[in-house]
Amino acid sequence: NWNCWRLQDATCAWFTLSSLLDILTCSTLSAARSQHSLFFLSHNLSSSSSHTYTYDPVNPCVLMECVPPCSDRPGFGEETPGVPLSSGPPTPLRAQTFSSFSPSKSYSRQSSSSDTELSLTPKTGMGSGGSAGKEAGPLKVFLRQQTQSALEQREYPFFTLTAFPPGFLLHVGGVVSARSVKLLDRIHNPDEPETRDAWWEEIRQEIKSHAKALGCHAVVGYSESTSICEEVCILSASGTAAILSSRFMQDGPLDVEHRFEEVVSPGCGFCHIPYDELNIPFPAQLTYCYCCRRYKVPDVLFTTIDLPTEANVTGKGCLIQARLCRTKKKAQGEGNATAISNLLPFLEYELHTQLMNKLKLRGMNALFGLRIQISVGETMLLGLASATGVYLTALPSPGGIQITGKTPSDITYEQHISNMQKKINDTITKNKELYEINPPEVVEEIIGSPIPEPRQRSRLFRSHSESSDEVSELDLSHGKKDAFVLEIDDTDAVEDIHALLTDFSIPAGFYSCNTEIMPGIQNWTSAIQMFTSVRVFRLNTNLTNQGLNKIFSDLCENLLKSLYFKLRSMVPCCLCHLNFTVAIPEDELIQVAVTAVAMSFDKEQTLENGKQSGEKTLIKAITDEQLQFSLELNAETSSPNPLSSPKGLSDVGSHPSARASSMEKASPLPEGRSRSLRSNRSYSGSSVAVVKMTPLSFIPGAKIIKYLGIINMFFIRETTSLREEGGVSGFLHTFIAEVFAMVRAHVAALGGNAVVSYSMKECVFMENPNKNQAQCLINVSGDAVIFVRESELELTSVQPQSATTQTSNGGEGT
Amino acid sequence: MSVELDVFVGNTTIMDKEVYQLWLNGYTVNDAVKFRIEGGVMEECEASAEVLLSDTMDQYRTFQMCERLLHHPAKLANQLLFQIPPDRQAMLIERYYAFDDSFVREVLGKKLSKGTKKDLDDVSLKTGITLKSCRRQFDNFKRVFKVVEELKGPLVENIRQHFLLPDQLAGDYAAIVFFANNRFETGKKKLLYLTFQDFAFCAGQLINNWTVGAVDNMMEDMDVDLDKEFLQDLKDLKILITDKDLLDQHKSLVCTALRGKTNVFNEMEANFKNLSRGLVNIAAKLINAKDVRDFFIDIVEKFIEPCRSDKWTSIDVNLYLTHYTNSVHILDTFKYHAVWTRYMGVIKSCILRMYHD
């Protein structure tokens, strides 16, 4: 119920923030301080000398469960989450997690916790593993240790992959993230990477320790990003803490078939908590898994990865976005860094509130592909969180949202509140219908026995907050579920709720997600349409936070609306991999760029069949001997790199370019390849080859028979005749069209007929209309591939390649 | 607060047929948005005016970028900038080269020169077609004319190949080029009742039968000009009206054949000499370029109007012309059967086509 309270005045705000950090932080203050003399003078809330703050947004709802709505500082220590549950002396885990800095309190305490943190981490992992033995038994511990040993050889057990073979993810802990504000002008020798390396090192260590705190030994779906404005730089990293299967981590020659088929994982395994139930790093509301009834699951799960293929999902998913804009005074250097540091926690907190509210409003309980972008400008900070919400069958059904007023005496106000409440309830009901979320409700009553315990505890938590809460009289349950309470205590809240409700509903026939595919939709047709859309919005000066928020939110909403409208001919379709990128190119400009793919699907077919065939192709692609990657795996048997789902393949391919060259050599078919490419050209009528593009790792209804390597291209375009080229829109439109054309031409020249895992990594646009000039830089990348339609494959069957190679070679000689 | 920049680019270029038509019709973005709102697309897709405006702007930009390619349709299939499916390409080309009948009636037979282009404002005012659209159509005519003017071989085929147009549209363009080249007069009051399709049909007849290409398409010359030799030979037909015996003989043959078959027999008999004189005179004069221009006026004045005032039906006209043409072959002193057949074949079908209200 972390929405029970509101930021009311400066002190309270300051206070709640610190409490937030208190609970969440696994701070690396010592690391920060040691660097302080080197590159930055830092400030944080307590005006101690660090502004590296970190934040662990795992299950934020859960996290905030027991934060009192408004209480004073002394009470806080007592209410530290988890304490009421602790039956013995704090484990190292808890010590590390919970004793962090609070505003003015012990400097020494901070340093002690953070100083010992790194050295503690291995112990932490063991500790939590050991005490988890209650139900999981020794097997779990054993497995974990085994895997751990494989993983611990790596400095950072981080995986940037977001999709894994079934059974690879044993448990998912939640999102871990870290941010740091740095001053670039404090780098002594900017040409050398040492300082920057040290910064990232710091952040990675932090991520690693967060994962440990969650009882996990690895981070998956890991990514790093920066936002720079003048000399201030925000470094961000985030990922999903997870426990991986040891089976996949073994060294030695890879027996692909064996490993993939051996694992039969239930669709709920990854939802089970990896951390020790009694030593939860935060106040989670645990219940027994709704699938297997044997293990504990959290009530909400946030992750940065794609939905695992084996996951049991009820209904369909949808894109959920939280958007936020905060004004900031213009400042220089340190002052600026401080201002930003002070704003960031609020920003993240608000983003999570929004995500949580929107998730509940849609009746869902998990987020996948969570990506939070923070952009810094001279006078504002932008935050955009995008994720795909789903209803995981294993997790409990989310409660509704209950709003309460501050002044219950006022009748008209009450009326207003109850109207809003009604709207919210209606919206939830409508959304449940829209996304086909109708989980079996009865089980809870029948099974009964395992339930009481978590229930009791949740009541316990509640009593905590209720004790100091004016709304304690409220019935906090919505139906049988615990409700999520929103208190309306100021105009902000009213507007927020309003915004929540006015999020337009997606037009009929459309689905959207920012992950690879939409859960619940399998039977794709071959119609795909990749697109890029860019919008730049000029703001008025002197806008309030509220005004800014509204504008930014509308900008994103309108962009989405436009996309739906443009793609209406493809209905029923799903916008997949909706990837928003925000930037503040100039003081009063907001730039939003979206790249995604619209894919049509067939409503008629049964989902089950589709799913099966989809899984089959996964395996097929992996075991295919034609793949360059299997060759690579054979050649490099010593390096344990068995992660090769199709997504994995493309990602591996797109990373080390050095490896790509070695693959070239390893490929025994250099000529055959160039020949077979041409055969693809003959299939289109015109002399220009059709090249498909998609940000996804696969092409529906087709099989990728060859990976031709990474495409990574930078383009810079400048014009001194902006007006003549149709203004900024005309200029950029032409440029993007040309970028697409050049990528297609490049792929066609390599002999490919598609680009997969396409992304526009950079789009920097600058203009000077007075001088009639504009510049733009675009960086795109992807994997060039050859694909064959599955229908064609079946027709030509056994030796299609050699046949087409021979015939086509004569025809097209160039 | 304003949207400074707003673009959408698809890997496959998205083009809305409806917006394309509005663009072709020369409407401004704002007008186009109004039309679309009236068209009900908003209710259909839950869109707002803002979304429509953005979409329309985007599409207009795309079309403008495509326009230079459309000037050389063959390039559209070979360019790399826009990935457009072949059926879409065909649609784009066909619609770009489509024209309004009311517009083409205004410029048909006129010289496709700058002078004519300057007068397009008046045409726009008169027809209610936007000036932009008029210019596009005019430029299309001119472009096609310029390209095929110097080409050998069949006109329609040339147009079809160079501009990738469907048969029907290629035929229409052939007519436009043919009319422009020969400067046929089509704007006179008496001709206003004729539609472009009437003229296009006649042009087709002329191209297929009276040009050099009609007899020998391997010739250096092409379909645009009438066969000079043939026009020369037409003078010989004068004998049909100058030789009194031949004329009487012809008349009696036709009348015998027609008697009892039509309600307007008396009028036919009475008018025979006039009509015959008219048709043969047209033939004899075609050697002069100036008289070629008046070809359609002459047909209307010399044949169609007299028949119409006597209330002939099209069946009557058909019957009359059939017998009028065939009877000549029975005349023993007449020697120019080939020329006569070639001439009357076209005349007959043209008159039948033009004989309506």
Side-chain angles (χ1 to χ4, degrees):
Chain A
N1 298 3
W2 74 325
N3 275 307
C4 304
W5 50 272
R6 276 273 154 203
L7 312 181
Q8 281 166 339
D9 56 50
T11 45
C12 185
W14 189 68
F15 179 61
T16 49
L17 173 65
S18 64
S19 68
L20 172 70
L21 293 178
D22 214 21
I23 295 158
L24 302 175
T25 307
C26 309
S27 96
T28 55
L29 290 181
S30 64
R33 232 182 314 119
S34 68
Q35 286 158 8
H36 146 216
S37 57
L38 270 175
F39 3 86
F40 61 91
L41 234 184
S42 50
H43 302 261
N44 70 359
L45 299 164
S46 57
S47 63
S48 76
S49 57
S50 167
H51 64 244
T52 304
Y53 90 94
T54 59
Y55 169 35
D56 189 343
V58 185
N59 295 339
C61 145
V62 174
L63 285 170
M64 295 309 298
E65 192 79 42
C66 71
V67 174
C70 187
S71 61
D72 33 18
R73 207 171 298 160
F76 228 58
E78 292 161 23
E79 285 174 0
T80 302
V83 172
L85 293 174
S86 72
S87 48
T91 61
L93 168 69
R94 184 184 296 137
Q96 176 235 323
T97 316
F98 296 120
S99 66
S100 52
F101 70 100
S102 60
S104 55
K105 266 193 251 168
S106 60
Y107 203 81
S108 59
R109 212 179 116 195
Q110 291 172 29
S111 53
S112 71
S113 74
S114 41
D115 281 342
T116 52
E117 180 195 356
L118 294 180
S119 57
L120 274 174
T121 41
K123 267 189 257 161
T124 311
M126 299 296 280
S128 71
S131 54
K134 192 179 152 199
E135 293 144 312
L139 177 67
K140 201 171 172 184
V141 182
F142 171 72
L143 275 180
R144 192 173 297 182
Q145 280 167 350
Q146 199 182 24
T147 318
Q148 211 151 351
S149 67
L151 275 169
E152 266 164 11
Q153 292 165 5
R154 294 163 178 79
E155 190 182 6
Y156 297 112
F158 296 175
F159 295 82
T160 56
L161 305 182
T162 56
F164 302 94
F168 184 71
L169 284 174
L170 288 185
H171 302 285
V172 170
V175 173
V176 286
S177 83
R179 271 181 227 287
S180 175
V181 182
K182 302 287 186 189
L183 286 171
L184 294 172
D185 57 353
R186 298 297 168 87
I187 304 178
H188 284 307
N189 40 356
D191 295 338
E192 298 298 322
E194 281 92 359
T195 309
R196 277 169 282 149
D197 286 351
W199 288 351
W200 284 117
E201 170 93 19
E202 201 179 289
I203 284 180
R204 288 169 194 166
Q205 283 295 348
E206 217 170 290
I207 290 279
K208 193 177 171 184
S209 64
H210 288 330
K212 294 254 149 129
L214 285 170
C216 296
H217 57 227
V219 175
V220 293
Y222 178 74
S223 66
E224 292 176 348
S225 62
T226 56
S227 172
I228 300 173
C229 178
E230 304 286 318
E231 72 284 343
V232 175
C233 173
I234 301 179
L235 308 179
S236 310
S238 74
T240 305
I243 293 180
L244 309 177
S245 165
S246 58
R247 241 186 286 260
F248 294 88
M249 306 307 294
Q250 285 157 5
D251 290 349
L254 186 74
D255 182 357
V256 177
E257 295 256 355
H258 193 62
R259 282 191 190 182
F260 281 92
E261 278 166 22
E262 198 178 340
V263 187
V264 183
S265 70
C268 62
F270 75 96
C271 305
H272 303 156
I273 52 163
Y275 33 83
D276 172 15
E277 190 193 336
L278 295 174
N279 298 311
I280 323 171
F282 43 76
Q285 195 172 343
L286 303 177
T287 47
Y288 279 97
C289 174
Y290 277 61
C291 286
C292 66
R293 291 279 165 195
R294 288 167 64 201
Y295 301 102
K296 293 285 174 76
V297 292
D299 59 348
V300 181
L301 188 63
F302 283 16
T303 73
T304 58
I305 53 170
D306 270 12
L307 186 73
T309 43
E310 72 267 27
N312 285 336
V313 172
T314 305
K316 304 239 179 7
C318 74
L319 179 80
I320 292 180
Q321 277 194 326
R323 306 150 186 140
L324 202 66
C325 224
R326 281 279 173 268
T327 51
K328 160 183 104 55
K329 285 210 174 69
K330 248 187 193 168
Q332 295 292 312
E334 269 169 44
N336 199 15
T338 312
I340 293 168
S341 296
N342 290 346
L343 273 172
L344 276 176
F346 290 100
L347 205 66
E348 291 221 50
Y349 171 76
E350 281 284 317
L351 284 174
H352 277 281
T353 314
Q354 274 190 36
L355 281 178
M356 208 61 196
N357 287 343
K358 288 187 177 176
L359 188 67
K360 300 254 174 197
L361 200 64
R362 285 167 179 80
M364 298 173 182
N365 57 19
L367 286 181
F368 286 88
L370 176 64
R371 187 160 164 259
I372 299 179
Q373 286 177 79
I374 306 274
S375 257
V376 57
E378 272 189 45
T379 56
M380 63 179 157
L381 280 176
L382 273 187
L384 179 66
S386 309
T388 302
V390 294
Y391 185 100
L392 284 178
T393 318
L395 267 50
S397 170
I401 299 177
Q402 184 138 10
I403 51 171
T404 68
K406 265 255 162 182
T407 47
S409 51
D410 192 339
I411 294 168
T412 51
Y413 190 69
E414 283 279 272
Q415 193 82 44
H416 181 60
I417 296 281
S418 71
N419 276 345
M420 275 211 270
Q421 182 68 58
K422 193 176 173 300
K423 261 191 205 165
I424 287 179
N425 294 345
D426 289 351
T427 314
I428 293 178
T429 319
K430 208 182 75 196
N431 278 331
K432 280 191 175 172
E433 260 168 52
L434 182 62
Y435 299 111
E436 298 159 31
I437 298 170
N438 36 11
E441 287 270 1
V442 273
V443 267
E444 199 170 319
E445 304 303 311
I446 298 164
I447 296 186
S449 66
I451 303 297
E453 197 201 337
R455 275 215 149 182
Q456 225 163 26
R457 190 167 43 181
S458 76
R459 218 167 286 146
L460 217 123
F461 277 136
R462 213 185 298 136
S463 70
H464 263 290
S465 47
E466 277 169 6
S467 63
S468 53
D469 194 349
E470 300 164 52
V471 295
S472 57
E473 305 292 293
L474 268 175
D475 176 15
L476 285 176
S477 57
H478 173 82
K480 286 177 199 100
K481 306 289 168 352
D482 289 319
F484 194 65
V485 179
L486 287 174
E487 190 184 355
I488 301 182
D489 50 8
D490 53 15
T491 43
D492 288 21
V494 176
E495 289 201 17
D496 284 353
I497 291 174
H498 217 75
L500 191 68
L501 290 170
T502 48
D503 247 18
F504 84 110
S505 63
I506 193 162
F510 274 106
Y511 290 98
S512 61
C513 60
N514 75 334
T515 48
E516 279 254 308
I517 46 160
M518 168 67 99
I521 303 177
Q522 304 287 341
N523 33 334
W524 305 106
T525 67
S526 59
I528 64 169
Q529 166 71 287
M530 191 282 292
F531 58 85
T532 291
S533 185
V534 181
R535 279 195 187 181
V536 175
F537 205 81
R538 184 172 288 283
L539 304 167
N540 283 350
T541 43
N542 304 327
L543 277 167
T544 58
N545 273 335
Q546 236 61 45
L548 266 177
N549 266 347
K550 176 106 176 55
I551 288 167
F552 181 44
S553 193
D554 286 352
L555 178 59
C556 295
E557 288 284 305
N558 285 336
L559 187 50
L560 278 172
K561 272 189 214 169
S562 278
L563 297 182
Y564 295 134
F565 181 74
K566 288 228 180 244
L567 299 161
R568 64 192 186 282
S569 64
M570 291 185 75
V571 163
C573 89
C574 179
L575 302 192
C576 294
H577 214 279
L578 263 173
N579 192 356
F580 276 68
T581 316
V582 288
I584 308 173
E586 268 175 55
D587 222 6
E588 276 137 23
L589 295 182
I590 296 180
Q591 178 187 316
V592 181
V594 186
T595 298
V597 63
M599 303 206 289
S600 293
F601 60 90
D602 203 346
K603 263 196 171 151
E604 308 303 313
Q605 253 179 302
T606 59
L607 297 182
E608 287 309 306
N609 286 343
K611 186 160 188 168
Q612 272 164 15
S613 74
E615 273 163 14
K616 229 192 293 166
T617 51
L618 271 181
I619 306 293
K620 231 198 280 175
I622 292 157
T623 52
D624 185 30
E625 287 176 343
Q626 289 295 323
L627 279 184
Q628 283 187 322
F629 292 91
S630 59
L631 292 171
E632 181 210 3
L633 291 170
N634 288 336
E636 299 183 21
T637 42
S638 59
S639 104
N641 192 6
L643 310 174
S644 35
S645 74
K647 169 70 173 172
L649 290 173
S650 57
D651 270 12
V652 168
S654 62
H655 280 304
S657 50
R659 195 180 286 178
S661 67
S662 76
M663 286 188 301
E664 293 279 320
K665 279 174 221 146
S667 165
L669 299 162
E671 276 181 73
R673 179 173 74 192
S674 59
R675 263 185 240 137
S676 69
L677 306 183
R678 275 175 215 128
S679 68
N680 287 294
R681 199 167 298 176
S682 58
Y683 102 16
S684 84
S686 85
S687 59
V688 182
V690 173
V691 175
K692 296 221 174 208
M693 290 168 80
T694 173
L696 309 182
S697 60
F698 68 98
I699 293 167
K703 186 183 170 193
I704 292 171
I705 57 163
K706 201 159 201 73
Y707 285 84
L708 304 170
I710 182 173
I711 302 277
N712 189 34
M713 299 163 106
F714 287 83
F715 302 97
I716 298 177
R717 181 69 37 104
E718 180 176 47
T719 181
T720 50
S721 52
L722 192 58
R723 275 187 291 278
E724 293 78 354
E725 289 178 36
V728 283
S729 294
F731 171 64
L732 193 63
H733 194 133
T734 320
F735 187 29
I736 295 177
E738 283 168 0
V739 166
F740 283 4
M742 282 183 272
V743 170
R744 286 193 302 257
H746 201 82
V747 171
L750 286 170
N753 56 8
V755 186
V756 296
S757 300
Y758 172 85
S759 74
M760 186 166 80
K761 294 190 164 152
E762 209 65 73
C763 178
V764 184
F765 181 77
M766 287 180 290
E767 54 163 335
N768 190 339
N770 297 333
K771 284 189 180 167
N772 206 18
Q773 287 178 349
Q775 292 86 27
C776 188
L777 177 149
I778 287 179
N779 171 216
V780 294
S781 75
D783 293 327
V785 300
I786 307 174
F787 75 86
V788 177
R789 290 249 159 262
E790 261 159 20
S791 51
E792 287 171 26
L793 261 185
E794 279 156 26
L795 286 177
T796 46
S797 78
V798 196
Q799 284 180 316
Q801 268 214 301
S802 55
T804 49
T805 313
Q806 302 293 314
T807 51
S808 66
N809 198 27
E812 295 174 70
T814 47
Chain B
M1 271 169 289
S2 58
V3 174
E4 182 108 346
L5 181 158
D6 178 7
V7 297
F8 174 99
V9 189
N11 183 37
T12 305
T13 308
I14 292 183
M15 289 167 170
D16 187 309
K17 282 187 190 176
E18 189 202 350
V19 186
Y20 186 51
Q21 197 54 56
L22 291 169
W23 177 73
L24 289 175
N25 290 350
Y27 294 114
T28 62
V29 172
N30 287 331
D31 287 345
V33 170
K34 265 181 227 152
F35 276 110
R36 296 184 79 185
I37 290 174
E38 283 162 22
V41 75
M42 259 171 39
E43 289 77 41
E44 185 187 313
C45 311
E46 304 166 40
S48 65
E50 219 173 312
V51 167
L52 271 184
L53 179 67
S54 150
D55 179 59
T56 311
M57 297 258 271
D58 223 77
Q59 303 252 3
Y60 266 52
R61 250 196 325 268
T62 311
F63 299 140
Q64 269 154 26
M65 285 156 75
C66 278
E67 191 166 15
R68 64 192 172 84
L69 296 167
L70 286 165
H71 291 168
H72 310 278
K75 285 187 182 164
L76 195 65
N78 291 307
Q79 52 84 33
L80 297 167
L81 192 55
F82 301 103
Q83 192 157 277
I84 307 168
D87 59 322
R88 272 283 128 132
Q89 288 183 12
M91 184 279 289
L92 287 178
I93 295 167
E94 185 175 346
R95 295 222 181 166
Y96 190 79
Y97 282 90
F99 47 81
D100 293 298
D101 280 359
S102 58
F103 172 79
V104 76
R105 278 296 278 112
E106 295 297 321
V107 294
L108 195 63
K110 282 186 184 153
K111 204 174 171 190
L112 298 173
S113 63
K114 280 198 179 130
T116 315
K117 197 173 176 180
K118 272 180 195 149
D119 299 336
L120 287 181
D121 323 34
D122 299 336
V123 177
S124 168
L125 268 179
K126 194 175 161 191
T127 56
I129 299 163
T130 60
L131 183 59
K132 223 181 140 200
S133 179
C134 289
R135 292 216 171 112
R136 186 197 92 237
Q137 298 181 33
F138 183 81
D139 288 342
N140 282 344
F141 297 161
K142 199 170 164 181
R143 196 174 317 112
V144 174
F145 183 85
K146 281 255 153 85
V147 168
V148 297
E149 199 179 24
E150 304 303 325
L151 288 176
K152 300 169 195 170
L155 185 58
V156 180
E157 189 57 27
N158 280 340
I159 292 173
R160 215 167 52 97
Q161 277 185 2
H162 275 83
F163 293 91
L164 309 176
L165 298 178
D167 292 348
Q168 164 75 28
L169 198 55
D172 288 350
Y173 268 93
I176 292 163
V177 169
F178 188 72
F179 269 68
N181 189 54
N182 292 294
R183 310 277 300 282
F184 287 110
E185 177 59 66
T186 64
K188 284 273 155 57
K189 211 177 173 188
K190 281 175 183 164
L191 295 176
L192 287 184
Y193 78 99
L194 291 168
T195 66
F196 168 71
Q197 284 309 326
D198 294 336
F199 284 117
F201 174 84
C202 298
Q205 291 295 316
L206 269 79
I207 292 167
N208 287 333
N209 297 296
W210 286 5
T211 58
V212 187
V215 274
D216 180 3
N217 52 17
M218 298 311 284
M219 286 284 288
E220 287 285 299
D221 215 337
M222 33 68 202
D223 279 355
V224 188
D225 295 313
L226 294 173
D227 185 352
K228 283 265 150 49
E229 271 178 54
F230 167 67
L231 297 181
Q232 197 69 40
D233 293 344
L234 281 177
K235 282 203 218 163
D236 299 335
L237 299 180
K238 268 202 141 174
I239 194 161
L240 282 173
I241 46 171
T242 47
D243 186 323
K244 205 171 176 308
D245 288 349
L246 218 51
L247 184 62
D248 290 339
Q249 215 179 332
H250 191 189
K251 184 182 170 181
S252 66
L253 278 169
V254 172
C255 290
T256 319
L258 284 174
R259 193 185 305 273
K261 289 183 180 164
T262 167
N263 294 329
V264 287
F265 176 73
N266 290 336
E267 287 85 348
M268 282 181 183
E269 195 176 22
N271 266 332
F272 179 85
K273 283 185 181 173
N274 259 341
L275 293 176
S276 183
R277 232 176 250 133
L279 290 180
V280 175
N281 273 330
I282 292 172
K285 284 196 300 177
L286 278 177
I287 190 69
N288 306 318
K290 203 204 148 287
D291 292 306
V292 170
R293 289 184 198 175
D294 291 337
F295 177 69
F296 292 99
I297 296 184
D298 288 346
I299 287 182
V300 170
E301 282 180 349
K302 301 280 157 56
F303 192 90
I304 293 176
E305 282 184 346
C307 296
R308 203 184 280 153
S309 65
D310 286 342
K311 300 206 163 42
W312 294 22
T313 63
S314 330
I315 301 160
D316 297 331
V317 175
N318 189 7
L319 198 67
Y320 175 82
L321 286 174
T322 310
H323 288 291
Y324 177 75
T325 310
N326 295 343
S327 309
V328 169
H329 298 299
I330 311 167
L331 301 171
D332 31 320
T333 50
F334 187 74
K335 284 172 277 177
Y336 313 103
H337 295 291
V339 178
W340 177 251
T341 312
R342 191 174 173 188
Y343 175 70
M344 277 313 291
V346 171
I347 290 290
K348 185 183 157 196
S349 43
C350 285
I351 289 175
L352 285 175
R353 174 80 197 202
M354 290 159 72
Y355 195 80
H356 62 80
D357 293 330

